[in-house]
Amino acid sequence: MAGGIFSPLGSCSELEKANCHPLVCLLCHEPYQQPCLLDCYHNFCASCLRGRASDGRLRCPLCGHPSVVKGGTGLPPVDRLLQFLVDSSADNEEDVQCANCDRCCTKAELDTMYFCNTCGQPLCAPCREETHRARMFARHEIVSLSKRTKDIHKKCPLHEEPYIMFSTEKKSMLCINCFRDMQGESRAHCIDIETAYMQGCQRLDQAVMAVKELQTSTREAIVLLKAMIEEVHNSASEEEAAINSLFSRMQEQLSERKKTLLKAVQSQHEEKEKAFKEQLAHLASLLPTLQVHLVTCSAFLSSANKAEFLDLGYQLMERLQRIVKLPHRLRPAQTSKINSEYRAEFARCLEPLLMLSPRRSLVGSAGGIGPGITGTNMLPGGQCSKTLMVPSCPPTSDKMSTGPMVKKPTMHRYISTKVLLAEGRETPFAEHCRNYENTYRMLQTEIQGLKDQVQELHRDLTKHHSLIKSEIMSEILQKSLQMDVQIAAHYSAVEMMRSVFEEVWEETYQRVANEQEIYEAQLHDLLQLRQENSCLSTITKQIVPYVRSIAKVKERLEPR
């Protein structure tokens, strides 16, 4: 049965052309010599695998899967099944001669040859019909040549007796002596050779069907992967073309916008330079006039007597006062900063191409504390808080703990707010800043009071190992929770003002740039308070078990 599964091996040149032959090694492209089976079920010649093992492991040359090898040879065990197929294929290539008529059969006639397992001789088709049809050969076992039974499979190597049974438990053939030596329980698993052969063929057919299904699925997967590789190639080509096209259009748009911006910069430069030069010319002409009148006053005082001074002095004073009251442009009428808003213009020209939503150039949005600013230990003015803080105390509000950080510390916000309010302009943002400062100071005072209380309790625990005011723990926790609600509410109220202020910022961005920084710093300060309060709550919760433990000990000791 097994000899007819594969076609006979051809010459070496045919093997090289068809290197996927199941009986040809994938490394040397020669028929297998002592084929070895790896854990990945790939086979290679023993000579091809020799010397490839390292630290008891052998990697498959085809797929790279490691296989464990045992023994000093460094090789996996020989694949008996594949060796049998190789030997059977080699046997089929030999010239076969009929034992009765001495007729030699060609390879094309091998399928018509038979073999008598009883006589142990090959027979051609005519001799089988003429000689082995007699009654004396009725008990002879005649099979096709490909299914002949070799001597090694005829008799038991231990007892030299022919096989008559098969053990389904041990998966091995048994002679009469092997059957007698078996225990009674094991004999129940023994069946005759013919029945075992039929059952084995049925199970093999089932296994073959499962492998065929896997083969079909594998081929479909290969076709799918090849199609996907082609699709990836096409998609990459389309993506590259789209990128090049978009890049070209972006370059064109940026080039046009660049020319427009450069013209705008040049126009601003000319206008500002002209205005500054006119003002400079006016001041340059004013300076000699002032110098002449100063010299005149000095000479008049040194040369005029009292009568002359009273006669001409008031006239000179009126002239000097009129000169001072003239509208002299001493301060620049405009700034020297040329602002073309090139970033916003470039972004605006790319928005139709990139399908971006319009963005406003803001200092930053509300968020947590940025790098280099530790919200748990910074107080207004840059001073460090002495209250013990836990290093990893996250804010309790997700909304208040995300987003880019504000670079301006609290002190900068405080000074900027003072400068803004000192200008005396009544704007919605100035009114907001006044209200904010009052509320912030109140919240900051409350937080500082709670921090001092927790610091005192912490000192009692760490230094004195005792509690002086154990009854205030719940009160601190309650106040901390209330402060958290107040800070969150104030944060939400300030956050709701964003849309109102952004409309004003869009109209006069340069003037409100400072206001934006102050606003973001306000949110930053609230985050600091929120984070400090969160860490304060965490520390308080950590101290609670110790407080309760010490309180219980104190209660036990007081009666004594």
Side-chain angles (χ1 to χ4, degrees), residues 218-259:
T218 303
R219 287 175 176 172
E220 293 176 354
I222 290 174
V223 172
L224 176 61
L225 289 175
K226 288 182 178 179
M228 291 186 69
I229 291 174
E230 184 66 23
E231 184 178 351
V232 166
H233 177 71
N234 296 335
S235 179
S237 301
E238 294 175 359
E239 195 72 11
E240 290 175 1
I243 290 173
N244 293 329
S245 175
L246 178 61
F247 183 71
S248 300
R249 288 185 292 165
M250 289 173 63
Q251 281 185 318
E252 294 175 359
Q253 292 287 343
L254 291 174
S255 178
E256 294 177 359
R257 191 58 57 94
K258 173 188 173 184
K259 295 178 181 178

Side-chain angles (χ1 to χ4, degrees), residues 1 38 53 66 112 123 143 170 200 207 313 335 357 437 446:
M1 177 180 177
L38 301 179
T112 62
L123 296 172
V143 296
K170 297 182 179 180
T335 64
S357 60
E437 288 298 323
E446 293 289 339

Side-chain angles (χ1 to χ4, degrees), residues 416-532:
S416 299
T417 304
K418 287 294 185 182
V419 173
L420 178 65
L421 296 178
E423 292 178 358
R425 290 183 296 178
E426 294 296 330
T427 61
F429 188 82
E431 183 64 23
H432 160 73
C433 289
R434 292 190 186 93
N435 298 332
Y436 172 87
E437 288 298 323
N438 296 331
T439 307
Y440 178 80
R441 289 195 190 95
M442 180 191 67
L443 295 174
Q444 188 181 35
T445 303
E446 293 289 339
I447 291 293
Q448 186 61 42
L450 293 176
K451 289 165 63 176
D452 294 338
Q453 294 179 4
V454 175
Q455 181 182 6
E456 183 179 358
L457 290 175
H458 181 265
R459 183 180 64 250
D460 293 340
L461 287 175
T462 56
K463 187 175 182 179
H464 305 294
H465 300 284
S466 64
L467 282 177
I468 300 175
K469 300 178 181 179
S470 59
E471 66 277 4
I472 65 172
M473 291 302 302
S474 59
E475 182 181 351
I476 293 176
L477 281 176
Q478 186 66 24
K479 288 183 178 180
S480 178
L481 295 176
Q482 292 177 359
M483 290 301 302
D484 189 84
V485 174
Q486 293 180 16
I487 296 172
H490 190 47
Y491 184 93
S492 301
V494 175
E495 181 68 24
M496 291 175 62
M497 297 295 294
R498 179 184 293 273
S499 59
V500 178
F501 296 142
E502 283 181 347
E503 293 179 359
V504 180
W505 295 337
E506 284 294 332
E507 298 174 356
T508 55
Y509 176 76
Q510 288 185 346
R511 181 176 59 83
V512 300
N514 190 35
E515 296 179 0
Q516 288 177 282
E517 294 181 357
I518 297 173
Y519 169 78
E520 300 297 341
Q522 291 171 350
L523 296 178
H524 171 266
D525 294 339
L526 289 174
L527 286 178
Q528 283 186 335
L529 288 179
R530 184 73 178 275
Q531 198 168 21
E532 289 179 9

Side-chain angles (χ1 to χ4, degrees), residues 238-458:
E238 294 175 359
E239 195 72 11
E240 290 175 1
I243 290 173
N244 293 329
S245 175
L246 178 61
F247 183 71
S248 300
R249 288 185 292 165
M250 289 173 63
Q251 281 185 318
E252 294 175 359
Q253 292 287 343
L254 291 174
S255 178
E256 294 177 359
R257 191 58 57 94
K258 173 188 173 184
K259 295 178 181 178
T260 304
L261 290 173
L262 291 178
K263 290 181 180 179
V265 170
Q266 186 64 27
S267 176
Q268 290 186 33
H269 171 256
E270 293 175 355
E271 291 177 1
K272 289 179 179 292
E273 186 179 25
K274 181 180 179 181
F276 289 149
K277 285 184 177 180
E278 291 178 354
Q279 188 175 1
L280 179 62
H282 169 73
L283 296 178
S285 62
L286 177 62
L287 190 60
T289 303
L290 299 177
Q291 185 69 23
V292 168
H293 282 79
L294 289 175
V295 173
T296 302
C297 289
S298 178
F300 178 74
L301 290 173
S302 61
S303 60
N305 54 27
K306 294 180 181 180
E308 293 173 342
F309 179 83
L310 293 175
D311 183 26
L312 300 176
Y314 286 97
Q315 183 180 356
L316 177 60
M317 284 185 283
E318 290 178 0
R319 181 185 298 182
L320 294 178
Q321 290 175 358
R322 286 196 298 269
I323 292 176
V324 172
K325 291 180 179 181
L326 288 176
H328 304 296
R329 292 180 296 170
L330 299 178
R331 294 185 179 182
Q334 54 185 330
T335 64
S336 60
K337 179 67 176 178
I338 295 180
N339 184 15
S340 62
E341 296 185 355
Y342 61 93
R343 295 180 184 273
E345 291 297 328
F346 282 139
R348 194 174 293 112
C349 77
L350 293 179
E351 282 173 5
L353 298 178
L354 301 179
M355 293 180 291
L356 298 175
S357 60
R359 299 181 180 179
R360 287 182 285 269
S361 177
L362 298 177
V363 177
S365 61
I369 299 172
I373 301 176
T374 306
T376 60
N377 58 8
M378 291 299 297
L379 295 177
Q383 298 177 355
C384 295
S385 171
K386 297 181 180 180
T387 304
L388 176 67
M389 292 298 170
V390 178
S392 58
C393 295
T396 57
S397 175
D398 293 338
K399 181 179 179 181
M400 296 176 63
S401 61
T402 58
M405 304 299 111
V406 179
K407 297 181 180 179
K408 300 298 181 181
T410 302
M411 196 59 187
H412 185 279
R413 191 267 309 166
Y414 182 77
I415 296 174
S416 299
T417 304
K418 287 294 185 182
V419 173
L420 178 65
L421 296 178
E423 292 178 358
R425 290 183 296 178
E426 294 296 330
T427 61
F429 188 82
E431 183 64 23
H432 160 73
C433 289
R434 292 190 186 93
N435 298 332
Y436 172 87
E437 288 298 323
N438 296 331
T439 307
Y440 178 80
R441 289 195 190 95
M442 180 191 67
L443 295 174
Q444 188 181 35
T445 303
E446 293 289 339
I447 291 293
Q448 186 61 42
L450 293 176
K451 289 165 63 176
D452 294 338
Q453 294 179 4
V454 175
Q455 181 182 6
E456 183 179 358
L457 290 175
H458 181 265

Side-chain angles (χ1 to χ4, degrees), residues 27 54 60 89 123 135 158 195 214 279 284 330 364 420 468 506:
L27 290 180
S54 176
C60 176
S89 179
L123 296 172
R135 185 175 296 176
L158 183 61
T195 304
L214 178 60
Q279 188 175 1
L330 299 178
L420 178 65
I468 300 175
E506 284 294 332

Side-chain angles (χ1 to χ4, degrees), residues 33-91:
Q33 298 293 331
Q34 295 182 347
C36 297
L37 179 65
L38 301 179
D39 293 346
C40 56
Y41 297 98
H42 288 140
N43 293 92
F44 301 95
C45 297
S47 58
C48 297
L49 295 178
R50 189 169 286 110
R52 292 176 177 265
S54 176
D55 298 331
R57 291 185 176 273
L58 178 64
R59 288 194 172 274
C60 176
L62 186 62
C63 67
H65 183 78
S67 301
V68 179
V69 293
K70 299 180 181 179
T73 59
L75 295 173
V78 176
D79 189 353
R80 293 180 56 209
L81 174 61
L82 190 57
Q83 186 65 51
F84 168 77
L85 298 179
V86 172
D87 295 341
S88 300
S89 179
D91 293 340

